[in-house]
Amino acid sequence: MDVHRRRAKITGVGAYVPPFVLTNKDLEQMVDTSDEWITTRTGIKERRIMTQPNTASSDLGAEAVKQLLHKTQTDPNEIDLVICATATPDMLFPDTANVIRDKVGIRSGFGFEISAACSGFLYALETGAKFVESGLKKVIVVGADKMSSIVDYTDRTTCILFGDAAGAVLLEPSDDDTGIIDSVLESDGMGRNYLYQKGGGSYHPATHETVENREHFIYQEGRTVFKFAVNGMVQSIKKLMQRHHLSKDDIQWVVPHQANMRIIQSISNMFEFPLERIMVNIHKYGNTTTATIPLCLWEWENQLKKGDALILTAFGGGFTWGSIYLRWSYDPPATEQASPPDVE
Ligand code: COA
């Protein structure tokens, strides 16, 4: 690694979760499942759902970005770039980043969308960091997903897993040794057979038949995905730790994608990271796809100290997976700016 390279650092975090709570008990009324099964197999107790009509992922993302701009006292017109990671774009085109920019009132710079399913935030963070490394001053990276728009609430194998949320971070150039240090990002297209939304793209454009066949919803072969997910996250963490000669004690926080508590537990066991140093909020929000990692950073912002070493790790459809190693760049903000435990 070139130590003289200009580095990007995270200088603020915003997030938004919609107020409506869908509990495991509610799901018991909708499909053949139980609170006990969902809790023991996934760790999820409840998730948030965007219930207001005529809203989309961009509305979740716009709320997170507005909070981020407010907390960091940033003028929207200082922003050079907005990258939005999402698996549930408002429309196939135009991209969701530009809808967010419009809703927030960002008129400067440019924006684009990244599609890498649950690894989308990591791909977008790495991409945003590269833009900062090559000269941009203020880049916003958003993960926003209205998963309820593609969840089949008659399919008990998937409807228990997902929730709606958004999270956003501001990236700026670092003038010290904190910031985004390195990443391992990988993908394998054979994974498309195990986790997908078949209908609505150029492969299966919408027809009465695709709707009848429920092709506009998520399909997942959970057991297969589970194995690849554990392996992908563990291997990418290992690569980063070896490359930077890190032991488990050199890392203050692990920030895993929140897909299944058992996957998180496996990572904890594999590296002997104590659970107290792993950010976990899956019980409250479920799997919010691209939003899980910034949502964790937002909730733990008050406990993060300048210089803390963090490993972010994710796995998603594609398959896509990877990990990012960074050093946190600021001490907890003053109470007035601190993240509330929940946004109503
Ligand atoms: N309630 C009750 N029973 C359920 C159920 C539910 N909501 N969903 C599935 N089951 C049943 C299945 O029908 C199956 O029954 P059978 O043995 O009679 O066939 C049994 O529970 C076990 O199903 P299985 O799919 O093997 O469960 P699992 O332990 O693998 O858990 C997931 C399912 C989806 C929670 C888990 O596989 C998972 O988390 N996978 C990875 C998700 C992920 O990381 N995705 C990538 C990012 S999005």
Side-chain angles (χ1 to χ4, degrees):
M1 188 194 61
D2 176 11
V3 287
H4 301 297
R5 195 187 74 192
R6 178 180 147 124
R7 197 179 271 174
K9 64 178 179 181
I10 294 174
T11 55
V13 193
Y16 178 74
V17 290
F20 182 80
V21 178
L22 182 69
T23 65
N24 290 351
K25 286 276 167 212
D26 296 329
L27 285 164
E28 284 178 358
Q29 310 303 312
M30 298 160 64
V31 288
D32 180 15
T33 191
S34 65
D35 174 38
E36 200 267 334
W37 192 96
I38 302 171
T39 307
T40 53
R41 293 302 186 104
T42 71
I44 302 167
K45 296 296 285 183
E46 57 188 45
R47 64 290 289 143
R48 301 298 182 96
I49 305 293
M50 187 80 152
T51 50
Q52 293 100 313
N54 302 314
T55 52
S57 295
S58 65
D59 295 291
L60 297 161
E63 289 306 314
V65 172
K66 278 183 207 161
Q67 189 193 61
L68 174 69
L69 292 173
H70 175 72
K71 282 172 69 179
T72 56
Q73 298 292 295
T74 305
D75 179 338
N77 290 314
E78 287 176 67
I79 300 299
D80 299 309
L81 167 63
V82 175
I83 306 176
C84 179
T86 186
T88 50
D90 289 21
M91 294 177 268
L92 280 180
F93 75 92
D95 72 284
T96 309
N98 281 306
V99 184
I100 293 174
R101 281 163 48 82
D102 185 48
K103 287 182 176 172
V104 173
I106 299 173
R107 306 281 162 221
S108 55
F110 67 116
F112 62 88
E113 190 175 290
I114 281 185
S115 169
C118 294
S119 309
F121 184 79
L122 293 192
Y123 278 42
L125 188 63
E126 176 68 0
T127 307
K130 295 295 178 224
F131 274 100
V132 172
E133 285 170 20
S134 55
L136 294 191
K137 297 268 181 358
K138 288 184 191 285
V139 173
I140 290 179
V141 177
V142 197
D145 268 301
K146 187 182 171 190
M147 293 306 291
S148 59
S149 65
I150 58 165
V151 164
D152 181 352
Y153 286 97
T154 66
D155 174 6
R156 69 175 183 172
T157 68
T158 51
C159 75
I160 55 150
L161 300 172
F162 297 98
D164 301 339
V169 298
L170 180 62
L171 289 177
E172 294 181 85
S174 177
D175 47 13
D176 51 34
D177 64 352
T178 68
I180 294 165
I181 296 169
D182 198 7
S183 69
V184 170
L185 300 179
E186 295 177 288
S187 61
D188 187 340
M190 70 77 201
R192 72 188 183 284
N193 300 310
Y194 305 104
L195 178 50
Y196 54 78
Q197 180 196 330
K198 206 190 221 173
S202 57
Y203 177 41
H204 281 203
T207 60
H208 288 292
E209 201 184 356
T210 63
V211 173
E212 270 159 29
N213 293 340
R214 311 187 85 72
E215 290 180 18
H216 299 270
F217 295 121
I218 298 174
Y219 171 81
Q220 172 171 253
E221 254 175 55
R223 230 175 286 185
T224 309
V225 177
F226 190 102
K227 286 184 207 139
F228 279 99
V230 174
N231 189 51
M233 290 197 270
V234 164
Q235 293 308 325
S236 59
I237 294 173
K238 252 189 205 160
K239 283 181 190 167
L240 278 180
M241 289 177 70
Q242 279 165 2
R243 219 186 260 173
H244 295 272
H245 311 291
L246 298 170
S247 78
K248 70 176 169 62
D249 299 321
D250 297 320
I251 297 157
Q252 277 71 49
W253 294 100
V254 177
V255 192
H257 173 53
Q258 314 278 305
N260 189 313
M261 190 58 209
R262 290 184 292 134
I263 295 178
I264 296 172
Q265 188 70 60
S266 302
I267 294 170
S268 166
N269 296 345
M270 190 70 74
F271 294 97
E272 296 177 359
F273 291 131
L275 270 180
E276 308 80 69
R277 289 201 277 121
I278 303 186
M279 297 185 192
V280 180
N281 58 15
I282 189 171
H283 53 291
K284 290 196 288 185
Y285 306 122
N287 182 349
T288 56
T289 302
T290 61
T292 58
I293 288 176
L295 203 52
C296 282
L297 295 176
W298 173 72
E299 280 213 300
W300 268 262
E301 190 184 26
N302 288 330
Q303 294 181 53
L304 294 172
K305 293 188 199 67
K306 185 170 179 179
D308 279 354
L310 274 67
I311 298 259
L312 322 182
T313 187
F315 184 92
F319 294 135
T320 56
W321 68 95
S323 297
I324 289 183
Y325 167 43
L326 62 88
R327 285 206 176 268
W328 196 249
S329 296
Y330 55 96
D331 288 321
T335 19
E336 204 245 321
Q337 288 196 5
S339 308
D342 273 322
V343 168
E344 288 301 324

